[in-house]
Amino acid sequence: MEFVLYEQKGAVGVITISREKALNALNSTVLEELDKTLDAVNLDEVRALILTGAGEKSFVAGADIGEMSSLTKAEGEAFGKKGNDVFRKLETFPIPVIAAINGFALGGGCEIAMSCDIRICSENAVFGQPEVGLGITPGFGGTQRLARLVGAGMAKQMIYTARNIKADEAFRIGLVNAVYPAEELMPAAEKMAADIAKNAPIAVRNCKKAINEGLDVDMDAAIVIEEKLFGDCFETEDQTYGMAFFLDKNKEKVKEPFKNC
Ligand code: CAA
């Protein structure tokens, strides 16, 4: 791959968008490579993903403005779909994805972060949806996910004014869960991913599905989704083992890793 790096560290996969000379901006090739990278993740071994950007300045500075500058109406719509398809794949990816936002997260950069399950950032991170200043709307899910994450009022303010916000404000409005000094960001992301990976993998996947799918429907339908996924866990060896371990009163016992089955 030219612009997307992937490394598996035990049960954690790290995806790095690496197009540093354009501050990791998303052109068509980056989007295609991201799509292929997700398809290649070994889901028998990997239990959580981290998404980050190469370098110390930028997570992702948006969709590639040079590539977009000459698009027609139909091409613009197709480019939006290309981004939306891969971001939706990330959002519905079976295992949790942590965005480790190490700098600019503007436009498509803020949008890809919002497609992840959890966002943490470095103190130098900057967030924003600058699209209306370029004569376009946010096109990779920003109008939808920002409103769902921080509320319609704050999302409208950010999108209509195109004003960037710093890490502390992103934390205050709930766009990120935590802010770290730059050098502590990846260790924190890796620790969080490892904590997730220690838990029963099928249960974790079912939690992601229940939260995501439940948020799209009313509460009556949502709790039915939860009941089904809760019930499914009782067919797993992880549930048999996890509960037997708790009930076993032998103090010498050591907890085995969950088996993913
Ligand atoms: N697309 C293409 N190239 C980009 C880019 C982008 N989104 N962002 C940065 N770059 C390129 C710059 O053109 C520059 O390239 P050259 O060295 O060849 O000139 C290089 O990255 C470094 O950028 P700057 O010199 O501008 O760096 P800076 O530190 O002065 O500024 C910045 C950093 C504030 C992030 C600035 O680069 C910037 O404002 N970038 C654009 C941010 C933006 O508007 N993003 C939204 C894009 S639209 C979108 O994403 C639509 C959508 O929803 C799908």
Side-chain angles (χ1 to χ4, degrees):
M1 301 251 177
E2 195 182 351
F3 299 128
V4 178
L5 312 175
Y6 180 68
E7 190 186 0
Q8 187 182 327
K9 297 179 178 174
V12 176
V14 181
I15 300 175
T16 306
I17 298 177
S18 180
R19 194 182 168 224
E20 256 188 274
K21 67 177 175 49
L23 302 183
N24 306 323
L26 304 169
N27 62 13
S28 289
T29 309
V30 178
L31 294 173
E32 283 155 19
E33 290 186 3
L34 264 173
D35 193 52
K36 287 191 191 128
T37 301
L38 289 174
D39 285 345
V41 171
N42 181 348
L43 287 170
D44 292 331
E45 294 176 2
V46 177
R47 297 181 180 184
L49 286 179
I50 297 170
L51 176 71
T52 194
E56 291 168 3
K57 187 170 169 181
S58 183
F59 171 67
V60 170
D64 191 291
I65 299 171
E67 182 174 339
M68 287 186 294
S69 61
S70 58
L71 298 183
T72 62
K73 172 178 151 71
E75 288 166 345
E77 202 174 320
F79 188 62
K81 178 163 167 46
K82 192 169 203 158
N84 276 333
D85 285 352
V86 66
F87 286 19
R88 187 73 180 136
K89 185 179 273 193
L90 195 59
E91 186 170 47
T92 58
F93 205 63
I95 57 176
V97 186
I98 301 165
I101 302 155
N102 56 318
F104 291 115
L106 300 174
C110 189
E111 291 168 307
I112 197 169
M114 292 191 291
S115 306
C116 298
D117 295 275
I118 295 165
R119 283 155 294 287
I120 58 176
C121 75
S122 53
E123 285 166 347
N124 67 327
V126 177
F127 298 80
Q129 297 291 160
E131 286 87 349
V132 293
L134 295 164
I136 57 172
T137 58
F140 292 167
T143 57
Q144 304 310 307
R145 293 194 181 93
L146 190 58
R148 283 165 171 78
L149 270 173
V150 303
M154 187 57 78
K156 286 176 174 176
Q157 182 178 326
M158 282 179 67
I159 290 171
Y160 300 165
T161 63
R163 188 178 69 84
N164 292 343
I165 61 170
K166 293 186 177 160
D168 55 347
E169 194 174 350
F171 176 66
R172 188 178 59 75
I173 66 172
L175 187 53
V176 295
N177 291 5
V179 183
Y180 296 93
E183 66 281 6
E184 292 174 22
L185 177 66
M186 277 311 280
E190 284 173 7
K191 179 175 182 318
M192 191 187 290
D195 285 345
I196 293 170
K198 268 193 283 191
N199 291 319
I202 295 171
V204 171
R205 287 179 185 211
N206 283 10
C207 290
K208 174 166 178 169
K209 220 167 148 40
I211 295 169
N212 280 359
E213 293 181 10
L215 282 171
D216 287 339
V217 297
D218 66 40
M219 186 56 82
D220 289 317
I223 53 174
V224 173
I225 292 172
E226 185 187 76
E227 283 157 18
K228 167 86 179 64
L229 289 160
F230 175 68
D232 286 351
C233 294
F234 290 83
E235 282 187 322
T236 65
E237 287 183 23
D238 289 344
Q239 175 270 336
T240 309
Y241 175 72
M243 293 195 177
F245 184 86
F246 176 81
L247 294 171
D248 184 348
K249 298 299 171 202
N250 172 11
K251 297 268 183 290
E252 305 298 308
K253 69 194 169 174
V254 178
K255 199 166 185 180
E256 305 280 333
F258 282 106
K259 289 202 194 107
N260 198 10
C261 55

